[in-house]
Amino acid sequence: QAMYPTLLRDAGSGGTANVWFLIDEHGTVVKTQIARSSGHKALDVAALSVATTMEFHPARNRRRALRAFRAPWNGPSDAQR
């Protein structure tokens, strides 16, 4: 909620940015990319900023942890304003 761009929130603008993640063997986000823009650059930048702070369990092949892309995350969205 704190990451939602103030100017967009105050203007009543909303949208959803879809973000792809590359997650390393430790579950850390090492790369992000906008898969589909929200239509607002400030909202896309906020979504990328939030995405870099997220943590995951790493993908595994048997017992070995690997790097993997995660499906798009939809956020921040209108519900998070």
Side-chain angles (χ1 to χ4, degrees):
Q1 209 167 21
M3 297 299 292
Y4 203 93
T6 305
L7 291 174
L8 293 177
R9 183 186 61 231
D10 292 349
S13 297
T16 299
N18 291 352
V19 180
W20 279 95
F21 303 88
L22 177 60
I23 301 160
D24 72 9
E25 299 86 351
H26 306 287
T28 303
V29 175
V30 293
K31 183 177 181 180
T32 58
Q33 178 179 333
I34 295 291
R36 185 174 64 223
S37 174
S38 66
H40 298 283
K41 184 172 178 78
L43 187 55
D44 293 349
V45 169
L48 291 173
S49 180
V50 169
T52 61
T53 68
M54 300 175 100
E55 296 178 4
F56 297 89
H57 293 286
R60 295 195 175 271
N61 183 359
R62 301 186 188 195
R63 293 186 176 186
R64 190 172 142 239
L66 351 144
R67 286 182 158 223
F69 272 104
R70 185 172 189 278
W73 165 65
N74 299 323
S77 66
D78 293 310
Q80 295 170 315
R81 283 192 285 155

